[in-house]
Amino acid sequence: MDKDKIIQTLILLTQAAGVSGDEQEPAAVAAGCLEPYVTRLHRDLSGNLIGFKEGAGGLEAPSLLIAAHIDEIGAMVTKIDRGFIRFTPVGGLDPRTLLGQAVEVHGRQRLKGVIGARPPHLLTRKERQQELKIEDLYIDLGLEQEQASRQVQVGDYISLDQPLLVMAAGDCLAGKALDNRSGVASLIFCAAELAEVRHYCHVYFVATVQEEVGVRGAITASYGLAPDLAVAVDVTHGLAPGIPEEDGFELGGGPVIGIGPNFHPVLVEQLKVLAREHHLPYQVEPVPGPASTDSRAIQISREGIPSTLLSIPLRYMHSTVEMLNADDLLLTGRLLGYFARSIDLSLVEGLKCI
């Protein structure tokens, strides 16, 4: 799978609307992409998409879980106010990024809308100095109250509407839901790599649901599958003006390996060794507290699952112009593949000796 193919995969994934709790569309896209590379594929009762790739080790072989969440931030209808739609966030919507954005309201049919607010000309001086709040915003569908009430009801989902942009140099991409469809794309890339080689361990590729509202899919998937070890794949902050170097990572600098209490030191070291051995650039992120990713849920599932975290640097997180470098996505998928191929019984036994 080359860069052009992975970019096309990412376009398909990001254009599917999948707000937390309503991930059917992107899960169907991911299933179509994963199916050629796995032994079997299903969705569990929580909605997680699970692809199983059988290893060569037979019954005694350990199992590896690779998880990337497939849901995205969005909103939900709370009120129809004279034809205008009031809404509440689903996940971490930033009001600063919303004014003027195009959206789709998932009513009886998909309805195009735009997010509006009172224009600055009609605000008092004090109001112009205040921070914009969700309560100040509404969605304009261009419909009257009666028309809107026939098409929309309280509880309908609202997704952001933004195509994926290929930037000038061709390496960087910007759009919505790259947190974390990029992780899902790297998971698919890894599956394609493993389809061409022999590996000892069994691998579960899991596109988890509802991460943005409490890592819920990771909780149920890790409990149900009970793997011997796991890697979560997500995004982290990319360097940009105003972001301190210790809080951001270079786009194009390779995947970011998490270090901290959530992450098993043997697995962290294994990722570093493999990256150096195969001449893959990587970066390191200290995470002293609980990680705000699926890795947090996986680590404390059942009696504990040794786990680690790979992150893709991403600028403008939780906006419609999230930006990444496609090379980081490919490097993440490749490192995941080398990691899966390195797992044997001796490595898993060594996880108990720290």
Side-chain angles (χ1 to χ4, degrees), residues 105-313:
V105 177
H106 298 222
R108 294 175 68 87
Q109 59 187 24
R110 293 288 177 85
L111 301 170
K112 298 284 187 181
V114 294
I115 297 179
R118 277 193 298 156
H121 318 69
L122 302 180
L123 299 177
T124 65
R125 179 177 297 179
K126 182 179 179 181
E127 286 173 330
R128 284 196 292 270
Q129 295 172 344
Q130 292 173 344
E131 193 170 294
L132 197 64
K133 302 186 293 294
I134 290 288
E135 295 77 17
D136 300 321
L137 303 172
Y138 51 81
I139 295 169
D140 190 343
L141 300 173
L143 298 177
E144 300 295 333
Q145 174 73 18
E146 185 179 344
Q147 295 171 305
S149 297
R150 285 200 301 265
Q151 296 286 338
V152 180
Q153 61 183 354
V154 171
D156 285 343
Y157 280 101
I158 302 161
S159 58
L160 301 170
D161 188 11
Q162 171 70 39
L164 188 69
L165 306 175
V166 180
M167 309 308 287
D171 294 325
C172 286
L173 312 169
K176 76 170 184 76
L178 290 173
D179 174 10
N180 185 37
R181 306 286 161 73
S182 60
V184 175
S186 68
L187 183 151
I188 293 166
F189 181 86
C190 172
E193 295 268 292
L194 289 181
E196 303 295 324
V197 297
R198 186 179 186 274
H199 55 93
Y200 183 79
C201 74
H202 305 307
V203 184
Y204 293 104
F205 299 99
V206 183
T208 61
V209 297
Q210 298 191 43
E211 189 269 355
E212 297 288 1
V213 292
V215 296
R216 295 171 184 169
I219 292 171
T220 58
S222 56
Y223 187 92
L225 298 173
D228 293 289
L229 67 165
V231 183
V233 186
D234 212 316
V235 295
T236 190
H237 296 290
L239 277 175
I243 296 179
E245 287 192 10
E246 62 269 22
D247 294 330
F249 300 88
E250 289 283 357
L251 270 64
V256 181
I257 300 172
I259 298 178
N262 264 168
F263 316 124
H264 198 291
V266 172
L267 301 184
V268 170
E269 186 60 27
Q270 181 77 349
L271 286 171
K272 290 181 183 179
V273 168
L274 290 167
R276 291 192 294 265
E277 181 181 324
H278 295 282
H279 308 289
L280 303 178
Y282 70 91
Q283 305 173 74
V284 172
E285 180 177 15
V287 185
S292 57
T293 67
D294 283 343
S295 61
R296 171 167 55 91
I298 295 168
Q299 183 203 28
I300 57 174
S301 182
R302 289 183 175 261
E303 67 268 27
I305 296 171
S307 59
T308 188
L309 173 67
L310 277 182
S311 300
I312 298 167

Side-chain angles (χ1 to χ4, degrees), residues 24-46:
Q24 290 88 338
E25 280 187 24
V29 173
C33 296
L34 265 179
E35 190 170 21
Y37 309 122
V38 296
T39 309
R40 58 180 182 267
L41 193 66
H42 77 281
R43 292 188 72 187
D44 67 13
L45 291 176
S46 294

